[in-house]
């Protein structure tokens, strides 16, 4: 997907200003920046949830799936895991949906029995896996992951990040991976883009941005983040 000159205004406030960013097919682009820098607003613009100026091309908006920070909010508490995942499979003939639910659960390393469970019976990390399985069921061209590990314990964060890396390798997904934590972004991303007050201040290969940041703000972010152990 190519995003060109994206600007999002809320009244007189400009949340995103003239942002240009390419997410090449099959690659993970990490978007990092402090709270309020405009990351979620970029995600919402990509998914058509806010009005924006600028151009998006290369991906059918219907083939974009968004996974949020809070899997409590994205899963219906009254639906079993299986029913939640199956909901997105309406394009498949009824008879093939059960197998597909199993396949999706196994992609996110959950045993098939989990299909019968309710969200409240799952840990935070397991719920986030279900939310990812559900999103994958729609066979997205682009997955937008907005702070999907932020609500999780550090020990579980690592597992979800490894899952993302595994899925990327296996499915060749394109992904915009958003986090305020540069260490987390670096771990899963090919390219890292740094946002500050609505603007992109630096972009480059993950190794380079983290190893030799060019912008003072990136260096500040690097100094501030706790190191991710894995
Ligand atoms: N619907 C809205 N109306 C007005 N202002 C908004 C709206 N949505 C977001 N903003 C403002 O836009 C700015 C960017 O918000 P955004 O949610 O994109 O930040 P973020 O980088 O995702 O932050 P965080 O890391 O805390 O999730 C913030 O100053 C926020 O208050
Ligand atoms: Mg956000």
């Amino acid at each position: 997907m190519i995003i060109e000159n994206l600007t999002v205004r809320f009244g007189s406030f400009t949340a995103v200003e003239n942002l240009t960013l390419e997410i090449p097919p099959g690659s993970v682009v990490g978007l990092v920046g402090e709270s309020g820098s405009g990351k979620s607003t970029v995600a919402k613009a990509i998914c058509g949830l806010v009005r924006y100026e600028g151009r998006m091309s290369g991906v059918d908006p219907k083939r974009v799936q968004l996974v949020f920070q809070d899997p409590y909010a994205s899963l219906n508490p009254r639906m079993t895991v299986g029913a939640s995942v199956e909901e997105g499979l309406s394009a498949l003939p009824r008879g093939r949906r059960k197998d597909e639910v199993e396949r999706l659960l196994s992609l996110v390393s959950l045993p098939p029995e989990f299909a019968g469970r309710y969200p409240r019976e799952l840990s935070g990390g397991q719920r986030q896996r279900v939310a990812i399985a559900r999103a994958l069921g729609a066979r997205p061209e682009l997955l937008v992951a907005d702070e999907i590990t932020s609500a999780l314990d550090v020990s579980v964060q690592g597992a979800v990040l490894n899952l993302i890396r595994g899925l990327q390798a296996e499915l060749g997904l394109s992904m915009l991976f958003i986090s305020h934590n540069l260490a987390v972004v670096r771990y899963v991303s090919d390219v890292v883009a740094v946002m500050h007050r609505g603007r992109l201040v630096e972009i480059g290969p993950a190794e380079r941005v983290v190893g030799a940041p060019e912008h003072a703000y990136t260096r500040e972010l690097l100094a501030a983040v706790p190191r991710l152990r894995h």
Side-chain angles (χ1 to χ4, degrees):
M1 148 168 265
I2 300 173
I3 303 164
E4 285 167 289
N5 306 108
L6 175 69
T7 297
V8 179
R9 296 181 220 277
F10 297 113
S12 60
F13 176 71
T14 304
V16 178
E17 191 163 9
N18 207 24
L19 179 137
T20 294
L21 181 64
E22 184 181 357
I23 306 164
S27 74
V28 181
V29 173
L31 186 60
V32 69
E34 68 194 356
S35 181
S37 56
K39 305 179 301 294
S40 293
T41 305
V42 171
K44 287 176 188 158
I46 291 174
C47 300
L49 301 172
V50 291
R51 285 172 51 99
Y52 62 86
E53 296 158 40
R55 239 173 76 84
M56 311 246 188
S57 53
V59 171
D60 177 351
K62 292 191 282 297
R63 305 283 310 274
V64 178
Q65 283 286 315
L66 180 59
V67 180
F68 290 107
Q69 169 169 8
D70 181 6
Y72 273 114
S74 56
L75 295 175
N76 185 336
R78 292 171 205 280
M79 279 168 78
T80 62
V81 163
S84 270
V85 174
E86 195 176 320
E87 217 180 22
L89 304 178
S90 52
L92 277 185
R94 222 165 261 286
R96 286 186 38 209
R97 293 184 199 164
K98 278 244 145 16
D99 284 350
E100 179 64 1
V101 167
E102 258 190 44
R103 190 186 73 87
L104 290 164
L105 289 179
S106 85
L107 266 180
V108 298
S109 310
L110 290 177
E113 307 86 79
F114 270 60
R117 291 223 204 164
Y118 286 89
R120 64 169 181 278
E121 300 168 325
L122 270 54
S123 73
Q126 288 166 344
R127 269 197 296 274
Q128 200 53 287
R129 285 164 194 272
V130 173
I132 294 166
R134 199 178 122 96
L136 291 176
R139 305 195 176 250
E141 279 178 45
L142 175 68
L143 193 68
V144 177
D146 189 0
E147 302 277 8
I148 60 170
T149 62
S150 306
L152 305 174
D153 217 272
V154 174
S155 58
V156 187
Q157 272 189 19
V160 172
L161 294 178
N162 283 330
L163 168 70
I164 290 290
R165 287 199 359 165
L167 287 174
Q168 210 283 324
E170 195 174 336
L171 308 176
L173 270 180
S174 305
M175 207 182 305
L176 182 66
F177 185 91
I178 299 173
S179 172
H180 60 276
N181 185 328
L182 188 49
V184 164
V185 163
R186 182 243 182 125
Y187 186 60
V188 294
S189 306
D190 304 306
V191 167
V192 171
V194 183
M195 262 187 104
H196 183 47
R197 298 192 181 158
R199 292 167 174 272
L200 213 61
V201 295
E202 178 157 4
I203 181 163
E207 292 299 317
R208 206 278 297 146
V209 171
V210 173
E214 281 168 6
H215 198 279
Y217 178 69
T218 312
R219 286 195 285 273
E220 243 175 74
L221 269 186
L222 257 181
V225 293
R227 284 192 58 82
L228 179 79
R229 277 182 292 173
H230 40 252

